[in-house]
Amino acid sequence: MRNEQEQKVILVLGGTGKTGRRVVERLRGRGVSVRVGSRSAAQPFDWTDRTTWATVLQDVDAVYVSFYPDLALPGAPETVGAFADLAVASGVSRLVLLSGRGEEEAEAAEKLIQSAGVDWTILRSSWFSQNFSEDYLRESVLGGEVVLPVGAVPEPFVDADDIADVALAALTEDGHAGQLYELSGPRLLTFADAVGEISRATGRRIDLVPVSVEDYTGALAAEGVPAEVVELLTYLFTTVLDGRNAQLADGVQRALGRPPRDFADYAKDAATTGIWDGV
């Protein structure tokens, strides 16, 4: 760990999200001064309100950059680039970006982070395992049917705890500057495989129900899901989940010197918390 880190502040954007809150917990466990970047924080941060940016950057040395809701949104790379420029002008010396595998927009954001003029690390991540337990898919698991517009394309699901461990290392240790870590789990699974692992972990029947993209997006719209979210999910399930990410990556091993966590272990641990037990 860098000696000056104890006196410096690390800003974690999306600090209440799936990866961000884990990064915050780990940094606090190391005794590092942490500032949570979120709309509900004491010093609010909002990606859509640039007047909130400068305040949270005061006295900050490093930033974990997690863009909400996704770097695939139109204009997201430009927003991230503008933030990076302000961060560097404010004295930030290290940027760690949570990115996505197989997303052109995310790669555009990566380039802007890489050209900001300070140390950078890119965490290019696959589909999160925790989407089944800490996101909208949890309700489907509870209901016993996970309805998605997916086929038999495999995905190297990555554990959010692995992402947070790599982020912690990149934010607090030397040796990670200029590294692009592609993060994945240790094996490929289809969504049916993943749901099967959850079914085994919970001891009850849970089925994956494939549907057409049209039926899926139509159901979302009928439920009142905002149009931009429907568009984002359509992009992720059709374009990104077309097999382009159907290969394993060694980023966790390279960054941490250990293998990534398996989806089955995630499912077993999540099941023991009661997250899928219902009310």
Side-chain angles (χ1 to χ4, degrees), residues 77-82 84-85 95 107-117:
E78 292 77 13
T79 301
V80 169
D85 289 341
L95 297 168
E107 292 180 15
E110 292 173 8
K111 290 184 174 69
L112 293 170
I113 290 289
Q114 290 167 328
S115 63

Side-chain angles (χ1 to χ4, degrees), residues 91-114:
V92 170
S93 64
R94 183 172 296 197
L95 297 168
V96 177
L97 175 69
L98 176 65
S99 187
R101 293 182 78 195
E103 299 179 20
E104 291 182 6
E105 296 83 354
E107 292 180 15
E110 292 173 8
K111 290 184 174 69
L112 293 170
I113 290 289
Q114 290 167 328

